[in-house]
Amino acid sequence: MGGGMAVDPRPGRGALAALCLCAFTHSYLLFQTFPYGAYYALHLLGGDGGRPGGRVTEDTVGVYAGLFGCAFTLGRTIGFRPWRSLRRRRGERSALLLSLVLSALLSVAFGA
C-alpha cells in the first residue's frame, strides 16, 4: 500500500515509566491530605489553641477535614475544560508536562 515503514503504536519503556510516575504522583497528591486534614481544619479555621470563638471544635472537625479532602477533586472538575482546550491547542505532551510542573510547584508551595 504505502511503502513507508510501520509505526509501533506501543509506548517505549521511557514513556511507560513516565506515565507510571505521573499516575503515582497524582495518587499521592490526591491522598496526601487525608492523614492530617483534621489538623489543617483546626489550624486554618481557628479551632486550635483553645481560643474562644473558634469555628471548629473537635466534634465538627470531621466535616471540614472532608471538605479539604474533596477540594482536590472539585478543582479537577472545575479545571477540566480549560485543560482540555489547552491539550487540544498545544498537544498532549505539553499539557502533561505543564500539569506535572504545576503539581510539583504547588505541592512545594503548600507544604506537601
Side-chain angles (χ1 to χ4, degrees), residues 20-109:
C20 288
L21 181 62
C22 292
F24 172 77
T25 304
H26 177 74
S27 298
Y28 175 75
L29 292 174
L30 178 61
F31 294 115
Q32 75 175 344
T33 60
F34 292 154
Y36 41 84
Y39 299 110
Y40 273 165
L42 284 172
H43 178 72
L44 294 175
L45 299 176
D48 63 331
R51 290 183 290 188
R55 294 177 289 192
V56 180
T57 65
E58 290 180 5
D59 295 331
T60 61
V61 72
V63 174
Y64 296 103
L67 290 174
F68 283 138
C70 76
F72 184 80
T73 306
L74 180 64
R76 287 178 47 200
T77 302
I78 293 170
F80 170 71
R81 288 188 188 264
W83 279 108
R84 183 178 63 180
S85 66
L86 176 74
R87 187 190 77 204
R88 287 181 178 171
R89 279 184 285 145
R90 300 289 184 187
E92 291 180 0
R93 180 181 170 96
S94 297
L96 181 63
L97 289 174
L98 181 61
S99 69
L100 288 174
V101 168
L102 287 175
S103 291
L105 290 175
L106 293 174
S107 292
V108 170

